[in-house]
Amino acid sequence: MQNNRKEHLYKILVIGDLGVGKTSIIKRYVHQTYSTNYRATIGVDFALKVLNWDSETVRLQLWDIAGQERFGNMTRVYYREAMGAFIVFDVTRPTTFEAVSKWKEDLDSKLTLSNGQSIATVLLANKCDQKRDFLTNNSLKMDQYCKENGFVGWFETSARENININEAANFLVKHIIASENDILKSVVPDTISPQLNSDKEMTCSYWLSLD
Amino acid sequence: QEYESRVGPATEPPSHPQPTRRKNLEFEPLSTTALILEDRPAYLPAKSEEESQRHRQEYSEMVAGAKRREMKEAQKKKLSHPYMRNTRRVRELWWQGVPPSVRGKVWSLAIGNELNITPELYEIFLSRAKEKWRSFSETSSVNENEDCGVSLADRESSLDLIKLDISRTFPSLYIFQKGGPYHDILHSVLGAYTCYRPDVGYVQGMSFIAAVLILNLEEADAFIAFANLLNKPCQMAFFRVDHDLMLKYFAAFEVFFEENLPKLFQHFQNNSLTPDFYLIDWIFTLYSKSLPLDVACRVWDVFCRDGEEALFRTGLGILRLYQDVLLQMDFIHSAQFLSRLPENTPAHALFSCIANTQMISNNRRWNQVFSALMKDGLKETDKSSSSSSSNSPALRS
């Protein structure tokens, strides 16, 4: 009997420009594999991952969304009810980083939670195996960028070399859970919960408790 | 005995076929007859009676198969005549699959060349594309000046984008990837198209369509078929990402979905699994990504015969084929299943499911259902009709 084993279901979007490695990151994370042979994603693709999180079960739905900007109108429907997002860029192609703020704005404009907050979003600087000096040159700038653009954090990742993929996912899940607890507290009446750093806390209005 | 040793010692020249020997067959594949050893050479133990009978049977089956193919090919050559296309016999042959040797030709003729594109015109657009790539690579950073008047479509047509997708087009075939034999051709066809239609530009999915055409046609003919194919109303709606119009196609699809597979339709409704989760990939790539390539080519055959209706009918055929599994799945598993169909989808089972799909609803055919939906849409709001018909996607994003 798992009566009090709480189960969370989180929908996570993986977005970013065409060819930055969204599918590769997901395949690495979910299937522990890497291939140079992935086909371009048209529309949307899906992957599932189950995590044991303390005494709870976390089910992740990863939504791998086609990267071409032109599809923006069409992919709006895919954003619904997402609780977290990765925005991915390719460190070897500066234009994909320039597009990051557009992806973030697009996400925030299409998806706002009941309290007007945007969902927890982590920035991934992918293909870091191909440009090893990226971190040393940009670390501070990236911290600043995340602050200014409303990312909860950023990671340098490589799907090929399996660098930081699990770390980034755990980080995102942690933020989703924290914000979920936050919103739970705030809906319980007569409970005063001072909102420290409230602009940094992301909240989420969807959660599931199953037996 | 009728089937005595036909081929003597190995020294006998194979250039003397003896066509009189197989009287029971009206058809002789001349090139191979003399090479076939029906009985073992004398220095080996003879075949048993059952074995030689089985071999005789297999052989006549092979010959009959070859004959059927030959006849089919001869027939296909006549398909181009507009008055031949609709005869029952031709439609039937077409349904069974166009032989690969004439497939490209049949597709070209069926798609037509409404746009009157000539190979010379292709060369002109290709050289323009090449010029553009040169200047892009000289300035190295493609997107720097995007805010200074370079349109979205223009930016998206950049070398980078096409290049990225080419390497991800049928990667398992290893022929479109860098260094592969068709890499440059695919690059050229897509590049030339973005110069021919800068208002459409390069859109994901196009690389798959162009690749399938290139596998079946010469470069310039592939381009002509590609441009004309994309110019068809359904393809234009999708590749211009005209969302309102796409939703009309989805709505028409759902009318026939409910008609043909009411149980699965209800199941999808309950799970909020709308066609945009699976039809987008299927329509944008004309099934070339989701079905095995040979099966996809047969879908294209039918598409060339029946037009856009065939695409949606195929979708319903896929849903029918996998109905039992899908009924057991929740939203996310169904969506995942449909976005990555089993790799071994069998052609015969799929095509019998497609054949069992009736494209008639309340006595209305696909075109009637679709145009009724279009009219409803026009009545609904002025806003949606104007945005669906006139705006270019570049202005709307």
Side-chain angles (χ1 to χ4, degrees):
Chain A
M1 301 303 270
Q2 296 187 314
N3 259 350
N4 45 13
R5 189 173 171 95
K6 226 185 189 177
E7 199 164 292
H8 303 265
L9 175 65
Y10 299 131
K11 169 174 168 180
I12 294 174
L13 305 173
V14 183
I15 53 181
D17 266 7
L18 187 154
V20 295
K22 299 180 289 295
T23 304
S24 296
I25 287 173
I26 291 172
K27 295 268 158 127
R28 169 60 80 185
Y29 181 53
V30 175
H31 304 290
Q32 289 85 41
T33 54
Y34 175 82
S35 153
T36 50
N37 271 351
Y38 297 130
R39 296 172 301 180
T41 306
I42 316 283
V44 60
D45 216 335
F46 308 88
L48 303 169
K49 171 115 176 167
V50 181
L51 299 175
N52 291 314
W53 198 271
D54 299 330
S55 60
E56 300 173 350
T57 303
V58 170
R59 290 182 185 277
L60 301 181
Q61 282 183 2
L62 295 143
W63 289 49
D64 181 2
I65 291 172
Q68 190 167 16
E69 197 177 341
R70 188 84 64 88
F71 292 148
N73 255 339
M74 186 173 91
T75 50
R76 187 186 302 261
V77 61
Y78 303 146
Y79 284 16
R80 239 179 39 214
E81 297 183 12
M83 285 151 256
F86 287 117
I87 295 182
V88 187
F89 71 97
D90 173 353
V91 294
T92 66
R93 285 189 294 143
T95 56
T96 65
F97 177 69
E98 287 158 27
V100 163
S101 59
K102 271 187 228 137
W103 281 103
K104 184 71 167 74
E105 281 164 30
D106 182 58
L107 181 66
D108 292 346
S109 72
K110 287 173 182 171
L111 189 65
T112 29
L113 300 171
S114 47
N115 58 1
Q117 296 268 23
S118 52
I119 59 167
T121 308
V122 171
L123 181 59
L124 302 183
N126 195 37
K127 307 196 188 177
C128 70
D129 57 291
Q130 291 181 39
K131 203 176 175 184
R132 296 199 179 270
D133 55 351
F134 181 79
L135 178 71
T136 44
N137 292 342
N138 294 289
S139 187
L140 281 173
K141 260 183 0 203
M142 286 294 284
D143 288 342
Q144 184 64 26
Y145 181 88
C146 284
K147 222 174 187 174
E148 285 166 5
N149 289 275
F151 288 93
V152 294
W154 71 281
F155 286 83
E156 207 185 17
T157 57
S158 164
R160 185 197 298 257
E161 304 290 334
N162 194 13
I163 299 171
N164 274 341
I165 309 278
N166 282 314
E167 289 78 357
N170 287 340
F171 181 82
L172 180 61
V173 170
K174 207 174 72 192
H175 272 268
I176 293 172
I177 290 177
S179 55
E180 199 180 55
N181 291 338
D182 227 50
I183 210 166
L184 282 180
K185 269 184 223 146
S186 69
V187 292
V188 178
D190 301 325
T191 304
I192 301 153
S193 50
Q195 297 266 306
L196 296 171
N197 293 331
S198 62
D199 61 325
K200 282 217 78 180
E201 293 290 337
M202 303 299 162
T203 51
C204 225
S205 57
Y206 300 99
W207 66 283
L208 288 177
S209 175
L210 310 168
D211 0 359
Chain B
Q1 202 193 337
E2 199 190 341
Y3 285 90
E4 77 242 11
S5 176
R6 299 257 144 65
V7 180
T11 50
E12 184 178 321
S15 55
H16 298 312
Q18 288 154 297
T20 49
R21 285 210 173 138
R22 263 175 263 269
K23 290 193 193 84
N24 56 334
L25 296 165
E26 6 162 349
F27 176 77
E28 288 274 348
L30 291 175
S31 55
T32 56
T33 312
L35 299 173
I36 292 167
L37 277 153
E38 290 200 336
D39 288 315
R40 297 209 180 98
Y43 54 87
L44 288 173
K47 289 179 190 175
S48 69
E49 183 51 37
E50 302 94 285
E51 196 179 10
S52 47
Q53 197 174 345
R54 181 161 52 83
H55 285 174
R56 278 199 296 274
Q57 199 191 332
E58 284 172 353
Y59 178 74
S60 54
E61 273 165 16
M62 279 188 264
V63 171
K67 185 189 166 191
R68 265 201 307 278
R69 279 195 297 278
E70 286 282 321
M71 273 184 51
K72 237 195 229 176
E73 295 195 14
Q75 285 277 358
K76 299 293 154 148
K77 286 171 188 151
K78 297 184 198 154
L79 297 185
S80 53
H81 288 281
Y83 51 88
M84 281 297 294
R85 207 199 264 188
N86 290 317
T87 65
R88 196 156 160 236
R89 174 90 186 111
V90 169
R91 285 182 61 83
E92 223 176 87
L93 282 169
W94 209 322
W95 174 265
Q96 287 159 15
V98 177
S101 58
V102 289
R103 188 166 251 155
K105 186 81 190 142
V106 170
W107 286 355
S108 277
L109 290 164
I111 292 167
N113 188 3
E114 234 181 16
L115 300 167
N116 286 320
I117 301 171
T118 57
E120 293 73 36
L121 199 61
Y122 168 63
E123 288 303 327
I124 292 170
F125 286 115
L126 178 56
S127 61
R128 252 186 233 176
K130 284 181 173 162
E131 218 167 274
K132 224 169 170 183
W133 294 335
R134 255 196 309 278
S135 67
F136 268 138
S137 53
E138 274 159 20
T139 53
S140 82
S141 179
V142 181
N143 292 355
E144 255 172 13
N145 52 349
E146 68 184 68
D147 295 324
C148 330
V150 179
S151 79
L152 178 70
D154 223 30
R155 187 159 58 81
E156 285 188 341
S157 73
S158 73
L159 183 60
D160 258 8
L161 220 62
I162 292 176
K163 221 186 220 162
L164 279 167
D165 263 6
I166 286 179
S167 66
R168 305 190 297 165
T169 306
F170 299 119
S172 54
L173 295 181
Y174 296 106
I175 54 177
F176 296 106
Q177 285 55 51
K178 205 166 176 63
Y182 287 168
H183 172 270
D184 293 349
I185 299 178
L186 183 53
H187 202 177
S188 299
V189 168
L190 293 171
Y193 185 77
T194 61
C195 289
Y196 173 64
R197 287 300 297 263
D199 59 323
V200 180
Y202 173 73
V203 182
Q204 289 199 293
M206 284 183 182
S207 66
F208 286 88
I209 294 181
V212 173
L213 289 170
I214 286 166
L215 289 173
N216 287 281
L217 285 162
E218 292 298 314
E219 183 171 342
D221 293 330
F223 177 78
I224 294 167
F226 182 69
N228 280 284
L229 178 59
L230 295 196
N231 201 46
K232 298 196 177 293
C234 175
Q235 274 59 47
M236 249 316 137
F238 277 74
F239 282 106
R240 298 186 77 139
V241 199
D242 186 333
H243 202 229
D244 295 322
L245 206 47
M246 286 165 67
L247 290 174
K248 293 278 188 286
Y249 279 102
F250 295 156
F253 172 81
E254 287 196 297
V255 168
F256 292 94
F257 186 2
E258 188 172 16
E259 187 80 36
N260 279 279
L261 305 163
K263 219 165 127 193
L264 188 63
F265 178 78
Q266 198 49 53
H267 180 69
F268 277 19
Q269 290 280 94
N270 298 343
N271 284 293
S272 310
L273 183 58
T274 46
D276 34 354
F277 287 104
Y278 47 92
L279 270 186
I280 283 180
D281 176 277
W282 292 353
I283 302 296
F284 267 100
T285 62
L286 300 178
Y287 297 94
S288 60
K289 193 180 149 227
S290 36
L291 294 176
L293 192 53
D294 55 324
V295 182
C297 283
R298 283 193 57 191
V299 170
W300 283 43
D301 293 343
V302 181
F303 168 55
C304 284
R305 190 190 75 172
D306 296 351
E308 65 187 34
E309 164 183 327
L311 297 178
F312 298 94
R313 194 178 178 198
T314 299
L316 293 171
I318 293 174
L319 295 179
R320 183 187 293 274
L321 179 64
Y322 293 116
Q323 172 162 230
D324 293 342
V325 244
L326 289 166
L327 281 169
Q328 306 303 317
M329 292 177 174
D330 61 2
F331 166 82
I332 194 74
H333 287 93
S334 308
Q336 193 179 23
F337 181 89
L338 292 172
S339 67
R340 221 172 308 122
L341 293 173
E343 273 169 33
N344 51 359
T345 298
H348 60 279
L350 175 60
F351 275 82
S352 77
C353 285
I354 297 172
N356 285 330
T357 300
Q358 299 306 317
M359 293 306 270
I360 293 212
S361 168
N362 288 327
N363 273 328
R364 294 180 308 165
R365 307 195 64 87
W366 168 267
N367 282 336
Q368 293 165 304
V369 169
F370 183 73
S371 50
L373 284 162
M374 289 298 289
K375 267 187 218 141
D376 290 352
L378 289 175
K379 265 183 264 163
E380 257 171 35
T381 58
D382 295 342
K383 195 177 126 268
S384 78
S385 66
S386 68
S387 72
S388 71
S389 57
S390 58
N391 281 6
S392 89
L395 298 171
R396 295 198 288 131
S397 292

